[in-house]
Amino acid sequence: MSTNSATVPELPAALSFGLRPLPLAPLAAALDLVVKSAARRHPAMFARLGDQAGKRFLIEPTDLPFVVVMTPRPDDPEVQVVRPGEEPATDARIAGPLAALVGLVHGAYDGDALFFSRDLTVEGDMSAVVALRNALDDAEIDLVAEAAAVLGPLAQPAETVGRIAASLAERITGIAFARPRSGS
């Protein structure tokens, strides 16, 4: 699915195609670690979801050959990575280019603007989606810092390397994989 948007970049098709044969288990394990770490590091974000925390969200990067199914329970968040069409039943679906989805997490894009420009598709339980969006907005998540945090005492050097890698990936793809640092 193409968004035909001039403002939200899409992952290059060749890169997406190259990812198709890769196994999903390592990605699922890594995302699970990061989400569980984020639940420990940002308990207020997960608590803010309230009754919506038990809902199952389908996060569909339309320019990638997989989808993410997340249940953001504060005590035991769950993440699954599956091929499109293999996902379990979900309460809500949020679909769009990877850049839009990542940009929502770290504040690079406004969810309402993405929705009204049709760069983002939202279906299902709107109360759950709004609760998730508000929780993410308030938490000011930085994906590089969250990924590095799982490495414990190596988090700081890993974050430094991650920021370099994210900057390089952004130059190649146009996708901002890290939250801009204050003052930069």
Side-chain angles (χ1 to χ4, degrees):
M1 175 177 144
S2 175
T3 64
N4 297 321
S5 172
T7 58
V8 178
E10 289 193 24
L11 200 64
L15 182 54
S16 180
F17 182 78
L19 295 173
R20 285 184 185 166
L22 297 179
L24 298 180
L27 176 60
L31 283 176
D32 191 57
L33 277 172
V34 170
V35 169
K36 283 179 171 38
S37 173
R40 288 188 301 275
R41 290 169 40 94
H42 303 281
M45 175 180 67
F46 284 80
R48 173 136 194 221
L49 289 166
D51 294 343
Q52 307 301 332
K55 300 289 174 84
R56 187 180 283 172
F57 296 87
L58 173 64
I59 311 299
E60 182 180 343
T62 55
D63 48 359
L64 285 175
F66 58 82
V67 299
V68 176
V69 179
M70 180 179 68
T71 308
R73 294 180 298 267
D75 55 336
D76 185 28
E78 180 183 351
V79 176
Q80 298 173 289
V81 180
V82 298
R83 300 284 177 206
E86 297 176 3
E87 65 272 359
T90 58
D91 297 293
R93 174 180 171 259
I94 305 166
L98 179 64
L101 297 170
V102 169
L104 282 173
V105 172
H106 52 70
Y109 292 114
D110 175 79
D112 291 337
L114 289 172
F115 179 77
F116 289 114
S117 68
R118 298 187 181 184
D119 286 309
L120 193 68
T121 300
V122 180
E123 299 171 341
D125 187 334
M126 291 301 140
S127 294
V129 172
V130 169
L132 180 63
R133 175 189 166 194
N134 290 340
L136 286 169
D137 284 349
D138 286 353
E140 296 187 356
I141 295 295
D142 181 322
L143 295 172
V144 171
E146 294 307 321
V150 303
L151 298 176
L154 299 176
Q156 191 58 39
E159 184 175 341
T160 300
V161 171
R163 289 199 183 285
I164 293 167
S167 177
L168 179 61
E170 181 175 357
R171 278 189 233 130
I172 293 168
T173 65
I175 300 172
F177 289 100
R179 177 179 283 277
R181 289 193 171 274
S182 300
S184 46

